[in-house]
Amino acid sequence: MLAVLLSMSFSEESSSSSSSSLNGDAYALLFNALRLIPISHYLLALSLLFVIVIYNFLEFHFVEDLFSGFRGSPVRLTFNSSSPIYDGVVSKCKIVHGRYLVTPWLSSPHIQTAFLHFFGRPPCFSYRRQLFRLSDGGMIALDWLMGSTGNYTVIDKVLAILDNSAGPGDFFHANNFISKDDTTPIAIVIPGLTSDSAASYIRHLVFNTAKRGWNVVVSNHRGLGGVSITSDCFYNAGWTEDAREVIEYLHHEYPKAPLFAIGTSIGANILVKYLGEEGEKTPVAGAAAICSPWDLLTVDTYYRNCSSSTYVGNVSIPLLCISSLDDPVCTVEAIPLDECRANKNVVLATTWHGGHLAFFEGITAAGMWWVRAVNEYLGVLHSSPYMHVQKKVQEPGLHLSTESSIDQGPYLNVSEDGMVAAVGNEQTRNSIVGDHQTNSEMVLDTEQDEQLTGAKSDAVPNTDRTCEPPANTPDTELRNLTASVTSCWNQLSQRNKRSMWLLAYVAIITTWPLVGSALRFIFGKKRKNVLSATLTKR
């Protein structure tokens, strides 16, 4: 029995050793086989793996477009089933009822967005600039491109330029203004974050809209477009006062010209929020919002009140919204599909692809799909009976109850619990309107400036009729310094007492080294004098 057990143990050890030997031989054989594969094949495999990773990371859809025969994807429309805007306007727009095909070599939302920022291929033209002073002292630039000059349209002028019968300056730097009786539609463009009238997508939109014979004006944000900040506040995604003032001014200056507004990205959020605040009171006849962020998604009160998704239900004018489902900036989760469907005045068009404000089309990426869609929509709306007409109200200065306290002023007070409240600032009703031409430099045109300041003085009383700031005399500098200090003190006095005591504490702590040294020097000198006098008497 013992012999049997020993033999079995010996056989098991032999089999395990042979198995280990075979495993070692197998790995050796596999290693030798891998060494026989050429290095170029490894490089090819790594390159293929890298391409697959990049393809998925950048969300390319070239293969998808290839298998679909480059037919593009249909545009999805979201609207109320009883919407008169869809039945009377959007249903007649062929572009939003068709398909959108991305430029094949830009078949990625990230690549499209980057290409728009760095290249964009914008048309070449020059604006005509009008400086507009806001009620709180801020200055913004209104850049104009006229759809017609005299009896000549844009196309006529472009053909004249190409035919060498006129120079570009003869057209784009025209000296005549829009008359008060002009009925040519005016399109107001509100750019996105950090964008101004020089942005590629803005120039695409402005040029193609002006080609239709419309007058187009870009309302640049504060501090952008080459204009310095002249007030103590800046713009933000929920600040609608600047757009409100510009729209009211244009409506007053050109009462017979229909006003249409186009907002892009953050500008679209501002526009939709403004329309929701104003309701029937707005003089805007129709609007379009492109790639709006809708819901800004942080959790603070400020961002919730700045988001336009809560205001879209109050929009009372025809509004076309265009968004891309693969937008890398304004994501699909923020699109308020239900809110847009509930409002009979809103039609939402979404595409599968397009990136952020890009939507390039054609093999050369020379055009942008959303620009054609917006121009077609505004053209159909202008020729229809569905344009909005402003409703007269007794107190035009009041806003809807849906307007948040954030909009009462651009200053914010943050409490310990994270709640954000607006702190009002002193408002000064002093408007200055200037006009100068822009190409690569800003050149002042005195004759045009006098005409614009005269027109502005009719709209706002007690207007300063100068385009340039006054000379920096000592009295002027002293008055400016005094006014600045007074304004800051008034703003600080409106905050809570704790903030004032905290400010006083910080002031004492920061100035104590200097004050303490001075006090020690003064009282130390006096003490020495007293001691010396006492010793002398003794």
Side-chain angles (χ1 to χ4, degrees):
M1 185 67 178
L2 180 62
V4 173
L5 292 176
L6 290 174
S7 63
M8 292 177 60
S9 174
F10 178 76
S11 62
E12 288 178 357
E13 291 179 359
S14 301
S15 61
S16 62
S17 61
S18 62
S19 176
S20 301
S21 177
L22 289 175
N23 290 337
D25 293 341
Y27 283 112
L29 291 174
L30 179 61
F31 180 74
N32 292 330
L34 292 176
R35 291 178 57 185
L36 295 176
I37 299 176
I39 297 179
S40 59
H41 291 191
Y42 284 107
L43 295 178
L44 181 61
L46 290 176
S47 301
L48 181 60
L49 180 62
F50 178 77
V51 168
I52 294 175
V53 171
I54 292 298
Y55 186 91
N56 288 276
F57 179 77
L58 295 181
E59 302 178 60
F60 277 96
H61 47 85
F62 178 82
V63 175
E64 173 189 340
D65 296 340
L66 177 64
F67 281 112
S68 66
F70 293 103
R71 296 178 59 246
S73 57
V75 180
R76 176 185 176 186
L77 296 177
T78 302
F79 56 91
N80 191 286
S81 58
S82 59
S83 171
I85 304 304
Y86 175 79
D87 295 335
V89 180
V90 179
S91 62
K92 301 177 182 178
C93 299
K94 298 181 179 179
I95 296 177
V96 294
H97 283 86
R99 291 173 169 266
Y100 167 60
L101 175 62
V102 183
T103 299
W105 48 277
L106 291 176
S107 56
S108 162
H110 306 280
I111 299 298
Q112 274 214 75
T113 305
F115 183 83
L116 174 65
H117 177 74
F118 292 105
F119 304 99
R121 298 184 177 178
C124 297
F125 61 87
S126 298
Y127 292 102
R128 200 166 127 220
R129 172 155 293 184
Q130 173 185 354
L131 295 181
F132 182 81
R133 187 176 292 278
L134 300 160
S135 60
D136 64 349
M139 184 78 76
I140 63 174
L142 301 180
D143 288 335
W144 290 84
L145 182 62
M146 302 302 173
S148 61
T149 304
N151 295 324
Y152 296 97
T153 64
V154 171
I155 297 178
D156 295 330
K157 290 295 182 178
V158 172
L159 291 177
I161 294 171
L162 295 176
D163 200 25
N164 295 325
S165 59
D170 296 337
F171 167 47
F172 295 114
H173 291 166
N175 292 324
N176 65 317
F177 284 88
I178 308 173
S179 66
K180 280 186 171 291
D181 297 329
D182 195 349
T183 59
T184 304
I186 298 176
I188 308 164
V189 179
I190 306 177
L193 182 68
T194 71
S195 296
D196 54 24
S197 57
S200 298
Y201 67 93
I202 294 294
R203 296 180 73 89
H204 275 282
L205 174 62
V206 170
F207 185 77
N208 285 277
T209 305
K211 281 202 307 183
R212 301 175 63 91
W214 288 25
N215 297 324
V216 190
V217 56
V218 181
S219 179
N220 295 284
H221 298 295
R222 300 182 186 219
L224 300 180
V227 178
S228 301
I229 299 176
T230 58
S231 62
D232 49 3
C233 64
F234 201 54
Y235 78 96
N236 59 61
W239 180 246
T240 59
E241 288 300 321
D242 294 355
R244 181 174 288 106
E245 287 193 41
V246 171
I247 290 172
E248 290 295 336
Y249 161 71
L250 294 174
H251 176 61
H252 183 275
E253 288 297 304
Y254 315 108
K256 296 185 179 181
L259 295 180
F260 297 87
I262 307 169
T264 59
S265 193
I266 288 296
N269 188 84
I270 294 173
L271 174 61
V272 174
K273 186 170 182 288
Y274 157 78
L275 295 176
E277 293 168 353
E278 292 295 296
E280 295 283 349
K281 296 186 300 181
T282 179
V284 177
I290 313 301
C291 295
S292 174
W294 294 112
D295 192 343
L296 300 178
L297 297 179
T298 65
V299 294
D300 296 332
T301 301
Y302 166 75
Y303 289 107
R304 288 199 301 267
N305 290 330
C306 287
S307 299
S308 62
S309 59
T310 57
Y311 292 85
V312 70
N314 297 325
V315 174
S316 302
I317 72 168
L319 173 65
L320 173 66
C321 305
I322 297 178
S323 294
S324 171
L325 298 181
D326 67 352
D327 191 325
V329 179
C330 304
T331 57
V332 63
E333 294 83 3
I335 300 177
L337 296 173
D338 294 334
E339 290 83 352
C340 292
R341 187 180 294 109
N343 192 330
K344 297 180 180 180
N345 299 302
V346 178
V347 176
L348 171 65
T350 54
T351 60
W352 285 103
H353 307 295
H356 185 64
L357 295 172
F359 294 84
F360 285 105
E361 59 182 354
I363 192 62
T364 60
M368 304 174 72
W369 177 86
W370 69 265
V371 172
R372 291 197 303 117
V374 167
N375 283 324
E376 182 188 39
Y377 161 74
L378 294 180
V380 174
L381 177 61
H382 179 240
S383 60
S384 73
Y386 294 95
M387 286 194 303
H388 171 72
V389 178
Q390 183 182 25
K391 299 295 188 296
K392 301 298 181 181
V393 292
Q394 295 180 352
E395 298 181 3
L398 296 179
H399 297 168
L400 292 178
S401 59
T402 55
E403 182 177 359
S404 66
S405 61
I406 294 294
D407 278 343
Q408 304 304 323
Y411 305 97
L412 300 178
N413 184 22
V414 184
S415 60
E416 292 182 350
D417 58 358
M419 296 298 290
V420 183
V423 179
N425 62 308
E426 292 186 342
Q427 301 283 320
T428 57
R429 303 298 301 181
N430 180 23
S431 298
I432 301 177
V433 178
D435 177 44
H436 62 273
Q437 302 167 353
T438 59
N439 192 353
S440 59
E441 299 179 347
M442 297 193 300
V443 183
L444 182 64
D445 189 326
T446 306
E447 180 180 357
Q448 296 179 4
D449 173 67
E450 293 176 355
Q451 296 178 10
L452 266 183
T453 51
K456 179 62 177 176
S457 63
D458 297 336
V460 182
N462 300 327
T463 311
D464 190 352
R465 294 173 175 264
T466 59
C467 293
E468 298 180 352
N472 293 327
T473 61
D475 293 340
T476 303
E477 294 179 353
L478 180 60
R479 286 196 299 270
N480 293 338
L481 179 60
T482 305
S484 177
V485 173
T486 303
S487 176
C488 292
W489 178 257
N490 290 334
Q491 295 161 16
L492 290 173
S493 65
Q494 295 178 7
R495 300 176 183 267
N496 53 47
K497 295 182 179 179
R498 181 175 180 179
S499 299
M500 294 297 297
W501 283 112
L502 181 61
L503 179 64
Y505 172 76
V506 172
I508 293 173
I509 293 300
T510 54
T511 58
W512 179 251
L514 179 61
V515 176
S517 300
L519 292 177
R520 284 195 297 270
F521 176 78
I522 295 173
F523 288 105
K525 187 175 182 180
K526 288 184 178 180
R527 186 173 59 181
K528 289 181 180 179
N529 293 336
V530 171
L531 289 175
S532 61
T534 303
L535 293 175
T536 302
K537 289 181 180 180
R538 291 180 180 178

